[in-house]
């Protein structure tokens, strides 16, 4: 068993993808442009098949399909590109295949389910690349769990071979794990003993917090490179069942059928709306530092270190539920959130120097509210539910983004419904009090900005902790939370929004430009690392869950270890793995 | 305002203290021997006075009292030694002054409460020193909160001057914060803007999770070097009250009196048992690699990288509650836990190379149970309560210790009552099945080992998350938790203990030595950093609290930042602070 673990690759067929050049120099710029565009016809590493209510995702990694040179994706090891395809597949199953109620995840290789992230890639990747890769991988795994809990699509890991490292972590993200009993295939987390790093894409957290593995057994397991199999794997709760090869397929199918039967997915409820919609390619025009999508644009200002994300509001709600289904991916509430998700991922991967994101909207808040009311009225429809859940996951990506987020609420903006959650996810909210009196851009002729709270902020889009963003915001005061909640449905101008604690600052026209400029300049003058650490603490007041522990506790420890010479130094375990030389550890505990 | 922040100093009067030589070389050994022995007569930085039910702790740092050269403790900035005194004072107020129901913490300086940890010290300290210092500081601050919640001693921060950085974090650990209104004194967390690190001794966590400061305001506050004062500090929940200088003393006294009146402290309930007991100096004989306390010894094996901690059980319970009070610090249940606490702190600070601790006991489990029953029967007594609470805090120190912990349960051991919690805090429990059949050491002639669960494991010593250690252990199975709970009071031999999931392995005499040797050798072969990260995740299954978030999420991010060039590199903010040169940041976000 070679627990190969890989970190970065991508669909080479994607037009905008270029090979990244990861490196260990902290000063060198990101030399790669990563694209998250793909679709099943272009997958190199996964196969997706759908048979009625059961889909199968088969991992069969193209060894030469790594996103960079310098390593081969042997033993079904993966890198970012493999995970980009997986993320795409999970997403499409929800939107394009509403009939699917169970997903079997298995391997096209003999005796190897997945060997985890590719180690050669990990060894050569920069610190930033490793961290960003792990974050995306974690988000994709959380997305798998979300598909079950919110869409009735259960995932069954059918381990027809060994699942090691990130391979077993992928299985841990599934609802059920079936391991073949062939006398050799095992589940394993060899990161600590072999690589000097953690099973950091959810492994340690899910072992004890999701599967309820006893902590002392988890300690033994996570330090046993060869892993555990057979009855012991079941007794230790590492897998749900082990099955002889001859019965394996049937056992997996039984579990899939059982999952189908208990699914609450509202797939085929309404005739004529039973069919999936197609997630068509996103339109994207890149013009220098401006990227324009259909409903969103991103403006980079490299001097200031900012990315301004401007989201355009809708013209109005869909004419009917039928119309929404007919419009599919072109419908505003879905189109715009896909664009926002892509903008977040693209900026994270490709623009580390843009440390502050300015979040803006343009449009009619009343039209957003109409869309919001439409979605709320039809939330039992499977497609509407998927759209709402994608908003939820996308705003959570903002919560987990290591950039400073400022929402700018100006005349002409439309922060209502789900767009207001984008503002509430920000570290600060600046709202202009009154109108712009100068004669500058078009939007400056609009009436005073308003924000409007509705069900999207009151429960539809919970944070990873389970609290709403309002709940996190007002963790210190139930009275403040009640007052804000009572203001739902009202158009709130700046002073009222400030009085209710919904915005941070409400400068008037005289102060607006200076105050924002100073805030942005000040942010750019601070240590980017300290900001990342600060934001990762202040954004997560309140309870913690498996998901928040993975992005907080586990990821922070892994990032620390990724910086330590024992892992990443020239004599560290990551760099020496496979060279025949043992890692040379500084034995002192910190 | 100079937010001086210091990291390491100590009571120079302490006989065993030598000056540490912090450095930034990851390879150099710890050149300092830190002692935690002190007492009020030897304090150089704090003054403790007691006036009936109100005590006052006054911070007046000796500038030349730093534990190393290279910096002066200006502006009431602190280092490890200042915090060792504070820890000692908080402890003594609980044991020596049961009449105290409110503690006022204030400063002996004009216009400066405390400027936080000394920055020069932080800049020159090694990574390991910074991390260990912060951990102890965090434990001391948690101990302040514990004094209120479990002993009815409320802490009131009387900020008669500016509280910056760690100084304000100290105030945040108090129950109430009163800030003088003198037109200049402020509260501030300048770590992010000035030093490129986090307010990592609880600051960020307590802002949002304890005081309920709105997260966007917390963002503004934690990036505003000059801090906040006056009405805004109250409105933002940063302090409870601001008071003009002429009314300040009276306002503080009013709050102290109110705290006295609402205290549930059972201080003077029983005549004859109202007086405090004296925390006499610990006896400690150091003989090469063996340190002997009265009831505990520590054996270092530098070749194996282990420290064996052997705790001796009691002869029997105190004859009566009066006898316990009369024995005071000499009574076994208090004496042994003070020794254990000291051993933990001393090993952590001075022996980073001993990465695995082997936890053993010697004695009669029936006698431990008698002590346990005695304490349980008298838990309403203030002294008994203090003893139980000190056990709680001490076992939590084990939870937060960055060493691998293996409990070895052999014939002749006495893992019952509070000692069993020491075993359950370990990462693994090895219990010998049967007797030793060879003729080696004395203890090897004893009958088979037993363990015995009682109320100490069922609720008296909760972990920082609020769960019992059994609850954390059996987070995956209520049935397993119920079965273990039902076994309380029984002597459990190895097979039964293993069946109930209370021990990890139960080898017999034939395998014992080899299995342990291999386990210890294997542990020593792994990356110490990966082990630290793994243990910090596996030990904390279940919910998180303010305390666990400080030791998990916040500390891990701070440790990451402490490794980053933007903070600790030659051009980083910590190193450049005060030089007149600005830090040279790599602006890329990770």
């Amino acid at each position: 068993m070679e627990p190969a673990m890989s970190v970065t690759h991508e669909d080479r067929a994607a037009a905008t993808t270029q090979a990244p050049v990861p490196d260990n120099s902290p000063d060198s710029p990101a030399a790669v442009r990563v694209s998250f565009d793909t679709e099943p016809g272009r997958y190199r590493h996964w196969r997706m098949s759908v048979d009625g209510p059961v889909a199968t995702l088969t991992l069969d990694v193209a060894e030469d399909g790594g996103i960079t040179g310098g390593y081969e994706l042997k033993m079904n090891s993966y890198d970012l590109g493999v995970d980009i395809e997986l993320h795409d597949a999970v997403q499409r199953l929800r939107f394009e295949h509403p009939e699917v109620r169970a997903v079997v995840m298995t391997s096209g290789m003999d005796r190897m389910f997945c060997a985890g992230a590719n180690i050669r890639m990990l060894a050569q990747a920069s610190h930033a690349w490793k961290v960003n890769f792990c974050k995306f991988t974690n988000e994709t795994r959380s997305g798998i769990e979300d598909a079950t809990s919110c869409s009735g699509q259960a995932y069954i890991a059918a381990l027809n071979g060994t699942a090691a490292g990130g391979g077993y972590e992928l299985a841990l993200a599934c609802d059920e794990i079936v391991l073949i009993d062939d006398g050799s295939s095992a589940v394993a987390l060899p990161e600590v003993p072999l690589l000097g790093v953690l099973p950091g894409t959810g492994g340690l957290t899910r072992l004890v917090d999701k599967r309820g593995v006893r902590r002392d057994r988890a300690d033994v397991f996570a330090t046993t490179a060869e892993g555990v199999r057979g009855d012991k794997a079941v007794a230790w709760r590492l897998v749900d069942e082990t099955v002889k090869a001859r019965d394996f397929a049937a056992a997996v199918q039984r579990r899939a059928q059982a999952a189908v039967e208990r699914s609450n997915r509202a797939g085929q409820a309404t005739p004529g709306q039973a069919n999936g919609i197609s997630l068509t390619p996103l339109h994207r025009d890149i013009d220098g530092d401006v990227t324009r999508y259909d409903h969103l644009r991103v403006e980079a200002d490299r001097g200031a270190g900012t990315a301004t994300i401007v989201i355009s509001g809708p013209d109005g709600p869909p004419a009917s539920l039928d119309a929404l289904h007919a419009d599919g991916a072109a419908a505003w509430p879905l189109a715009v959130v896909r664009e926002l998700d892509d903008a977040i991922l693209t900026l994270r991967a490709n623009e580390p120097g843009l440390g502050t994101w300015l979040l803006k909207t343009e449009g009619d808040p009343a039209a957003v509210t109409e869309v919001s009311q439409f979605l709320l009225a039809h939330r039992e429809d499977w497609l509407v539910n998927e759209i709402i859940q994608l908003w939820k996951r996308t705003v959570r990506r903002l919560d987990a983004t290591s950039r400073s987020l400022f929402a700018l609420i100006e005349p002409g903006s439309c922060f209502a419904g789900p767009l207001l959650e984008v503002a509430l996810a920000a570290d600060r909210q600046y709202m202009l009090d009154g109108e712009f009196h100068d004669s500058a851009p078009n939007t400056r002729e609009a009436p005073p900005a308003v924000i409007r709270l509705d069900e999207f902020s009151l429960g539809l889009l919970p944070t990873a902790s389970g609290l709403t963003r309002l709940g996190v915001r007002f963790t210190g005061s139930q009275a403040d939370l009640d007052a804000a909640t009572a203001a739902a449905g009202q158009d709130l101008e700046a002073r009222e929004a400030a009085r209710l604690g919904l915005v941070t600052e409400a400068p008037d026209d005289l102060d607006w430009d200076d105050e924002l400029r100073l805030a942005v300049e000040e942010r750019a003058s601070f240590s980017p690392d300290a900001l990342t650490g600060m934001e990762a603490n202040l954004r997560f007041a309140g309870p913690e869950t498996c998901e928040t522990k993975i992005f907080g506790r586990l990821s922070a420890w892994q990032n620390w270890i990724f910086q330590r010479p024992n892992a990443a130094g020239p004599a560290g375990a990551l760099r020496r793995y496979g060279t025949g030389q043992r890692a040379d550890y500084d034995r002192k505990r910190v």
Side-chain angles (χ1 to χ4, degrees), chain A residues 332-334 337 367-379 384-393 395 415-422 424 452-463 467-471 488-489:
Chain A
W332 179 85
L334 176 55
V337 72
V368 181
T369 295
E370 285 172 359
V371 171
S372 190
Q373 294 304 317
F374 176 91
L375 295 173
L376 192 59
H378 296 288
R379 60 187 290 194
V384 171
N385 178 57
E386 289 305 341
I387 293 170
I388 293 170
Q389 299 308 325
L390 181 55
W391 274 100
K392 181 191 71 181
R393 296 194 298 283
V395 186
F415 282 103
L419 296 181
L420 184 59
E421 278 298 280
V422 172
L424 291 174
R452 192 191 288 185
L453 280 172
D454 67 15
E455 197 58 36
F456 273 89
S457 295
L458 302 179
L460 274 188
L461 307 183
T463 66
L467 292 184
T468 61
R469 277 175 197 79
L470 281 185

Side-chain angles (χ1 to χ4, degrees), chain A residues 317-336:
Chain A
S320 65
L321 193 54
D322 281 340
L324 176 76
H325 279 260
D327 289 347
W332 179 85
L334 176 55
V336 73

Side-chain angles (χ1 to χ4, degrees), chain A residues 5-8 22 68 71 118-125 129:
Chain A
M5 311 180 74
S6 108
V7 156
T8 3
T68 63
Y71 60 97
N118 188 278
I119 298 172
R120 298 274 181 282
M121 180 58 211
L122 265 186
Q124 73 189 50
W129 186 275

Side-chain angles (χ1 to χ4, degrees), chain A residues 26-72:
Chain A
D27 295 310
S28 67
V32 182
R33 186 134 192 112
V34 179
S35 163
F36 294 84
D37 293 340
T38 188
E39 42 102 356
R42 288 155 56 193
Y43 291 171
R44 294 199 61 192
H45 311 295
W46 288 94
R47 293 193 299 273
M48 180 162 75
S49 66
V50 176
D51 182 10
V54 178
T56 301
L57 289 175
T58 304
L59 181 64
D60 198 357
V61 176
E63 288 195 9
D64 64 348
I67 200 169
T68 63
Y71 60 97
E72 293 181 322

